[in-house]
Amino acid sequence: MTAVDYRGQTTLITGASAGLGAEFARQLAARDSDLVLVARRKERLEELAAELRAHHHIQVHVVEMDLATDNPGQALATRMDQLGLHVTSLINNAGFATFGPFHQADPERLRREVAVDVTAVADVSRAFIEQLRTEGRGVLVNVASMAAYQPNPRMALYGATKAFVLSLTEALWEESRGTGLRVLALSPGATRTEFFDVVGTTQAAGKSRLASPVDVVRTALTALDRRNPPPSVIAGRMNRVMAFLARRLATRRQVIRAIGRLTAEGA
């Protein structure tokens, strides 16, 4: 396999109004992919779409949608049919986290978190993966997290959702071998996006240095361009080292206690 050729492709990106979603849009537009940008904030999507059309002369469609609603995959597939679009690549980027003790969290917020971070990823992937496999020239990227690699006290649900995304995506990587579709789980660490504004605190990052969205997205696209793309990739050398150490050189108890200290009040 050679580097992905995005020319003539249509890539659907969820959570595209800011952060990694917007950066995926910019880097894929630079590679000449047409785009479908999906998020709740239509005004932000329209601004980004105008920028990309002007700079790259591609087609960009905007879809305002709350992925926490029922059957988001079918809703997006229906909308693509209405627009006469054939999606060849998919980036499931939408997601958010809740910080604090699980027993104190707002149950409705937790429900929405599962709906967006778990249900929508599975539902949207299922809605499009057959045509992605048939087309056989694009990518399916699901954004996981470093939080997927261990339990996360004070972000318990978020870590669990990202563990789901990592496991699902790596399984789809194996199922899709030989079809031409390249499947990848991207696991960023703390990144300079609106993530912590939504969470409500930077404590969720512990003492981590914030990565650049440009570098995180570049890591994913570079991995996909390999002759034999991996099922998953961790963005950032130090993050890769930490994940290795957590799995090989520490007990489960030690890892959980360490993450708990990093996210504790006053950390």
Side-chain angles (χ1 to χ4, degrees):
M1 298 177 74
T2 57
V4 181
D5 184 358
Y6 294 95
R7 292 172 298 178
Q9 291 210 45
T10 298
T11 304
L12 188 153
I13 305 172
T14 69
S17 59
L20 291 178
E23 185 57 36
F24 266 111
R26 291 188 174 98
Q27 292 195 30
L28 289 172
R31 294 189 179 204
D32 295 322
S33 177
D34 292 333
L35 301 171
V36 180
L37 308 179
V38 181
R40 291 184 300 164
R41 296 179 292 184
K42 186 175 182 180
E43 183 176 337
R44 293 281 292 272
L45 293 178
E46 294 286 8
E47 290 174 1
L48 177 59
E51 169 198 325
L52 298 178
R53 292 185 193 111
H55 290 175
H56 301 288
H57 309 291
I58 59 170
Q59 292 188 34
V60 185
H61 296 267
V62 166
V63 176
E64 180 183 12
M65 179 175 291
D66 183 353
L67 293 173
T69 57
D70 291 339
N71 303 315
Q74 184 56 55
L76 279 174
T78 298
R79 184 65 177 140
M80 295 306 97
D81 288 343
Q82 292 170 344
L83 293 171
L85 298 176
H86 184 74
V87 172
T88 59
S89 288
L90 171 63
I91 314 291
N92 276 310
N93 166 74
F96 70 94
T98 300
F99 183 81
F102 183 81
H103 69 278
Q104 295 177 353
D106 175 12
E108 176 57 22
R109 181 181 172 92
L110 295 181
R111 186 200 67 78
R112 287 185 58 84
E113 189 173 344
V114 172
V116 174
D117 294 10
V118 172
T119 306
V121 172
D123 199 51
V124 175
S125 294
R126 178 62 187 88
F128 290 98
I129 193 168
E130 286 187 274
Q131 70 187 53
L132 299 184
R133 287 163 58 96
T134 299
E135 190 69 26
R137 60 193 178 106
V139 305
L140 167 58
V141 178
N142 290 332
V143 177
S145 169
M146 278 294 293
Y149 290 87
Q150 68 286 308
N152 293 262
R154 298 176 188 83
M155 294 182 70
L157 184 62
Y158 182 72
T161 68
K162 292 306 182 179
F164 170 89
V165 172
L166 178 63
S167 179
L168 172 69
T169 309
E170 290 187 326
L172 297 181
W173 173 86
E174 170 62 24
E175 291 183 9
S176 298
R177 289 178 63 194
T179 68
L181 173 65
R182 305 185 193 199
V183 179
L184 181 74
L186 169 64
S187 292
T191 305
R192 198 177 305 113
T193 68
E194 294 180 355
F195 178 87
F196 297 107
D197 296 332
V198 176
V199 170
T201 177
T202 57
Q203 279 184 234
K207 298 180 180 179
S208 301
R209 180 180 178 183
L210 299 184
S212 162
V214 173
D215 292 338
V216 172
V217 171
R218 186 179 294 130
T219 294
L221 298 186
T222 299
L224 290 163
D225 281 339
R226 295 180 192 173
R227 184 175 298 275
N228 186 21
S232 58
V233 66
I234 296 173
R237 180 178 179 277
M238 186 53 66
N239 289 330
R240 291 191 289 273
V241 170
M242 294 302 294
F244 173 82
L245 293 177
R247 286 178 290 182
R248 301 295 179 86
L249 301 179
T251 67
R252 194 74 165 170
R253 180 195 296 265
Q254 289 170 331
V255 171
I256 296 169
R257 293 299 302 277
I259 297 299
R261 286 192 295 271
L262 285 173
T263 58
E265 293 293 335

